[in-house]
Amino acid sequence: MKKLVCITATLLAIGFSFMATPAQAAQKITREDFIKVCPLDLPGTAVHSTATADGLVVAFESSVANSLPELKVRVEKLSQLINTVMEQPADVPRGAIKFSSAFEPTEKGANVVLKPADAKDLEKLQTNVSAKMGTMNAEKKCHFLANVN
């Protein structure tokens, strides 16, 4: 019985730790949130994009093996931030391209796979994100992915 109570208490604690308070849920994601998780400040890291039939792959790769674990963690967080912004209608500017993001680990780093919510926005998404790659590499910042219009 004591073991069951202990397991139940642990599961409740874990469950409550994942629940957001109303203040946390209402917290607006900012440009700084994207900067904090951006992997481009890790040694040897660069980004490039590749258009696919239904979206775009934004590939973060590092030439420094020791950077790979942290790079993958940050790219996953970046993908989650993108989805959070897209799921909050108040955070998506009027007329903005709505898209989803998926995390994909790779041998050399990790990808953020972007897919537009509406197929008619595919070409615009591909063009606009691809145009930001040079700036992202030069400035070592990812906040440009917050708004691809």
Side-chain angles (χ1 to χ4, degrees), residues 39-89:
L40 290 173
D41 64 349
L42 295 172
T45 302
V47 63
H48 68 275
S49 63
T50 305
T52 64
D54 61 350
L56 186 78
V57 174
V58 179
F60 293 87
E61 297 179 348
S62 179
S63 58
V64 179
N66 293 344
S67 296
L68 289 176
E70 179 64 16
L71 182 144
K72 291 178 183 190
V73 167
R74 290 189 191 187
V75 172
E76 185 170 22
K77 287 179 181 178
L78 181 62
S79 179
Q80 292 168 349
L81 273 178
I82 291 168
N83 283 330
T84 301
V85 168
M86 289 294 134
E87 292 166 0
Q88 297 175 2

Side-chain angles (χ1 to χ4, degrees), residues 86 89 92-93 95-100 115-118 121 125 148-149:
M86 289 294 134
V92 179
I97 301 170
K98 293 185 182 177
F99 55 94
S100 63
K115 295 189 178 182
D118 190 332
D121 292 327
L125 176 70
V148 298
N149 293 325

Side-chain angles (χ1 to χ4, degrees), residues 3 15 26 33 62 68-69 74 80 95-96 101 105-106 112 122 131:
K3 187 175 183 179
D33 294 317
S62 179
L68 289 176
R74 290 189 191 187
Q80 292 168 349
S101 172
T106 66
V112 173
L122 175 63

Side-chain angles (χ1 to χ4, degrees), residues 7 15-16 22 30 40 43 50 87-88 103 110 120 125 131-133 137 141 148:
I7 291 171
F16 284 121
T30 66
L40 290 173
T50 305
E87 292 166 0
Q88 297 175 2
F103 168 73
K120 71 174 177 49
L125 176 70
K132 296 174 189 270
M133 294 300 108
N137 278 313
K141 295 180 182 168
V148 298

Side-chain angles (χ1 to χ4, degrees), residues 40 47 128-144:
L40 290 173
V47 63
N128 292 355
V129 173
S130 294
K132 296 174 189 270
M133 294 300 108
T135 304
M136 287 174 66
N137 278 313
E139 294 188 16
K140 300 294 184 191
K141 295 180 182 168
C142 299
H143 63 273
F144 303 103

